[in-house]
């Protein structure tokens, strides 16, 4: 059973773009709210109007909530972009277009008698087909 990595990559990229757009909207609303809170606080303290000061306090809580939602939207955007990139790498592996993938050439044992014959590491190697590791420790363990 073949997994549709191309379709998955497109879906995750769409979700990432929606989250990024949501983040931009939240950033704009947050800016407007911040300016409104500043104005309310200024006039509230200048005119000693407690309802304005209360409004500024409430707006500050709303601002904090918007900051948290913005951070979540940006996190989800980055997460879905990363998942889309993983699916693009799988598409490359399935179509044997391995040039963009790490070839593990730094792990080549030049003095081993079979290293040139087996294509364990290097361009179009078994390492490129099997490697999913991102950290150096995982890559060296695979090699």
């Amino acid at each position: 059973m073949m997994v549709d990595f191309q379709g998955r990559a497109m879906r995750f990229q769409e979700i990432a773009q929606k989250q990024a757009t949501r983040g931009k909207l939240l950033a704009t609303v947050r800016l407007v709210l911040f300016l409104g809170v500043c104005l309310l606080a200024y006039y509230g303290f200048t005119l000693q109007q407690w309802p304005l000061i209360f409004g500024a306090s409430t707006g500050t809580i709303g601002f904090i909530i918007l900051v948290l939602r913005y951070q979540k939207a940006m996190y989800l955007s980055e997460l879905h972009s990363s998942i889309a990139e993983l699916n693009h790498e799988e598409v490359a592996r399935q179509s044997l277009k391995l040039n963009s993938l790490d070839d593990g050439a730094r792990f080549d044992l030049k003095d081993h008698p079979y290293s040139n014959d087996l294509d364990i590491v290097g361009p179009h190697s078994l390492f490129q087909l099997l490697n999913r590791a991102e950290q150096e420790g995982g890559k060296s363990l695979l090699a």
Side-chain angles (χ1 to χ4, degrees):
M1 178 175 142
M2 292 291 278
V3 178
D4 181 24
F5 290 111
Q6 187 66 37
R8 289 180 60 163
M10 301 273 291
R11 283 193 305 274
F12 282 115
Q13 196 61 43
E14 286 174 15
I15 294 170
Q17 289 173 350
K18 285 179 184 177
Q19 289 296 328
T21 303
R22 183 172 185 255
K24 289 177 185 176
L25 176 65
L26 285 170
T28 304
V29 171
R30 192 177 67 192
L31 175 64
V32 170
L33 182 62
F34 176 75
L35 294 174
V37 165
C38 289
L39 285 173
L40 284 175
Y42 174 75
Y43 286 116
F45 284 112
T46 302
L47 303 173
Q48 295 183 356
Q49 294 290 321
W50 292 107
L52 294 179
I53 295 171
F54 178 73
S57 300
T58 306
T60 302
I61 294 169
F63 178 78
I64 292 170
I65 290 170
L66 286 176
V67 167
L68 295 174
R69 288 188 179 181
Y70 170 79
Q71 288 175 339
K72 182 178 179 182
M74 291 293 92
Y75 168 76
L76 289 174
S77 176
E78 290 176 23
L79 175 69
H80 287 97
S81 278
S82 297
I83 295 172
E85 181 61 33
L86 288 173
N87 281 283
H88 284 299
E89 288 178 5
E90 291 302 321
V91 169
R93 281 186 179 91
Q94 283 181 344
S95 60
L96 297 178
K97 295 178 181 172
L98 307 175
N99 295 336
S100 64
L101 303 174
D102 184 13
D103 63 3
R106 63 192 168 284
F107 300 113
D108 192 12
L109 300 173
K110 302 274 187 221
D111 56 342
H112 193 277
Y114 303 123
S115 66
N116 291 334
D117 294 337
L118 296 178
D119 289 331
I120 302 289
V121 294
H124 294 294
S125 64
L126 189 59
F127 183 86
Q128 284 183 313
L129 290 172
L130 295 178
N131 180 36
R132 303 300 189 274
E134 288 296 320
Q135 296 180 343
E136 200 60 32
K139 291 178 182 182
S140 66
L141 185 65
L142 176 63

